[in-house]
């Protein structure tokens, strides 16, 4: 078992780094490599796999299903329903389609992908129905800010929500101001997506930042590994943050596994905080 772990609300112990699947299942020529990547991640103990009906319009779930062949019990599967499929009736159909593509009996945690026009009571009823039918083991949300979470928790069975999956990396720390403390108060894990800031300019900016490069050199690791170690740096009572980088390249997967063993020193944290400061006021939730 990897070094830094966290305990999911249902008691499952998970490594604090999982595997993302956005962009998987889009290009048939990549399918073999993507399946092999997820299997390599499982071999190395990255047991949580995050997917969604949206990714590759079902293609990513099919890749996950193929990777899980004969080893369903090793994995903790998170998938997401489109907000426009979140009505009680459509959610059941969407979940059935996901289960078929994933080729499993139940999703471990089924998330609302982002805020929906469907009334929250109806969405939660849908999740409860799926749970009673044994098709999901728990439910959560994604891309809801602190105020939306507080409103969610007021609904019947709203407190059963297991997680909020949001964008979080060193260059985007807005959730630290209020959302993350609220989740911690309730001892709920936050799932950090785009922990490596995905493609684009901000990523380059982060990777070449002298603070990140210095800390990476001190530890003899890559800047990307420092970004991951930073995201999972604080685990309060084993319920805090799980990073879900997407990686297809086998070396990337091995590096991500190794990031679970990096302990940033107080000096590292000060250096990174100075270059990429924590928020001092409430900020809108970042989504890219
Ligand atoms: P990301 O994980 O920040 O970055 C992925 C990129 O980083 C890929 O190009 C990957 O390359 C590369 N990479 C991975 N590990 C690396 C390493 N150790 N060293 C160097 N490069 C590395 O971005 P993301 O895929 O957008 O986000 C992660 C996951 O979060 C998604 O896959 C998805 O599951 C989830 N997500 C959720 C939402 C939401 O709305 N809930 C939104 C976005 C993403 P290779 O693939 O070539 O290895």
């Amino acid at each position: 078992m990897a070094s830094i772990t966290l305990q999911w609300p249902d008691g499952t112990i998970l490594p604090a780094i999982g595997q993302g699947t956005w962009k998987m299942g889009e290009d048939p020529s990549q399918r073999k490599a993507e399946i092999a990547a997820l299997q390599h991640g499982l071999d190395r103990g990255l047991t949580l796999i995050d997917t969604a009906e949206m990714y590759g319009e079902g293609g990513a779930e099919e890749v996950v299903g193929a990777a899980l062949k004969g080893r369903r019990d090793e994995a903790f599967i998170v998938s997401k329903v489109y907000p426009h499929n979140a009505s009680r009736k459509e959610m059941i159909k969407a979940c059935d389609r996901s289960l078929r593509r994933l080729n499993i009996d139940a999703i471990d945690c089924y998330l609302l992908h982002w805020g929906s026009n469907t009334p929250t009571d109806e969405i939660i009823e849908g999740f409860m129905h799926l749970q009673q039918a044994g098709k999901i083991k728990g439910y959560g949300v994604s891309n809801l800010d602190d105020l939306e979470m507080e409103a969610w928790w007021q609904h019947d069975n709203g407190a059963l929500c297991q997680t909020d999956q949001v964008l979080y990396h060193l260059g985007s720390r807005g959730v630290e101001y209020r959302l993350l403390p609220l989740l911690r108060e309730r001892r709920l894990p936050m799932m950090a997506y785009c922990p490596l800031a995905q493609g684009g300019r901000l990523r380059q900016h982060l990777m070449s930042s002298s603070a990140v490069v210095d800390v990476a050199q001190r530890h003899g690791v890559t800047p990307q590994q420092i970004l991951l170690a930073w995201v999972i740096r604080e685990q309060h009572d084993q319920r805090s943050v799980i990073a879900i980088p997407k990686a297809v390249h086998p070396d990337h997967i091995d590096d991500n596994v190794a990031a679970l063993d990096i302990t940033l020193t107080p000096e590292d944290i000060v250096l990174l905080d100075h270059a990429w400061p924590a928020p001092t006021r409430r900020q809108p939730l970042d989504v890219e």
Side-chain angles (χ1 to χ4, degrees), residues 11-22:
T12 308
I13 303 294
L14 298 165
I17 292 178
Q19 304 191 74
T21 63
W22 192 22

Side-chain angles (χ1 to χ4, degrees), residues 15-134:
I17 292 178
Q19 304 191 74
T21 63
W22 192 22
K23 311 278 190 211
M24 288 191 185
E26 291 182 359
D27 177 355
S29 72
Q30 291 303 304
R31 183 180 161 88
K32 241 174 113 179
E34 291 165 354
I35 294 169
L38 292 174
Q39 290 177 331
H40 181 54
L42 282 177
D43 291 343
R44 300 289 326 269
L46 300 185
T47 49
L48 183 142
I49 298 180
D50 176 77
T51 190
E53 63 170 331
M54 184 188 114
Y55 302 161
E57 287 304 326
E61 289 182 326
E62 282 174 6
V63 167
V64 175
L68 288 179
K69 206 167 171 206
R71 54 193 309 185
R72 164 64 182 107
D73 294 348
E74 293 171 46
F76 187 96
I77 302 300
V78 177
S79 192
K80 312 184 197 79
V81 60
Y82 267 127
H84 63 255
N85 282 338
S87 67
R88 199 175 182 285
K89 200 166 145 215
E90 290 307 316
M91 193 193 285
I92 293 166
K93 293 192 217 159
C95 185
D96 281 340
R97 289 192 297 269
S98 288
L99 288 171
R100 250 193 321 274
R101 289 187 291 256
L102 289 161
N103 198 20
I104 59 177
D105 295 332
I107 293 167
D108 293 292
C109 190
Y110 196 39
L111 311 186
L112 174 68
H113 207 147
W114 61 88
S116 171
N117 292 329
T118 303
T120 303
D121 279 332
E122 184 178 341
I123 301 173
I124 297 175
E125 267 177 44
F127 283 135
M128 290 298 112
H129 175 85
L130 288 172
Q131 192 166 8
Q132 278 147 21

Side-chain angles (χ1 to χ4, degrees), residues 173-242:
R173 302 181 59 170
V175 297
E176 286 177 32
Y177 190 71
R178 191 145 185 277
L179 178 63
L180 184 53
L182 283 178
L183 293 169
R184 280 186 173 142
E185 254 170 48
R186 290 184 168 249
R187 305 194 63 233
L188 297 176
M190 185 178 86
M191 297 183 74
Y193 74 71
C194 301
L196 297 168
Q198 54 173 350
R201 267 186 314 162
L202 187 53
R203 179 176 199 168
Q204 275 323 314
H205 202 42
L206 275 172
M207 300 309 160
S208 55
S209 134
S210 63
V212 176
V213 171
D214 282 2
V215 175
Q217 278 170 355
R218 282 189 207 169
H219 289 265
V221 299
T222 67
Q224 287 86 348
Q225 288 175 294
I226 293 302
L227 292 192
L228 291 180
W230 180 86
V231 166
I232 60 167
R233 69 199 177 282
E234 286 174 355
Q235 298 296 341
H236 293 250
D237 291 338
Q238 289 243 308
R239 298 266 173 91
S240 198
V241 181
I242 177 163

Side-chain angles (χ1 to χ4, degrees), residues 140-161:
V141 296
S142 177
N143 294 303
L144 296 196
D145 69 16
D146 52 340
L147 302 177
E148 291 167 319
M149 280 315 304
E150 284 180 315
W152 188 280
W153 288 322
Q154 298 309 311
H155 291 263
D156 278 356
N157 295 317
L160 296 180
C161 178

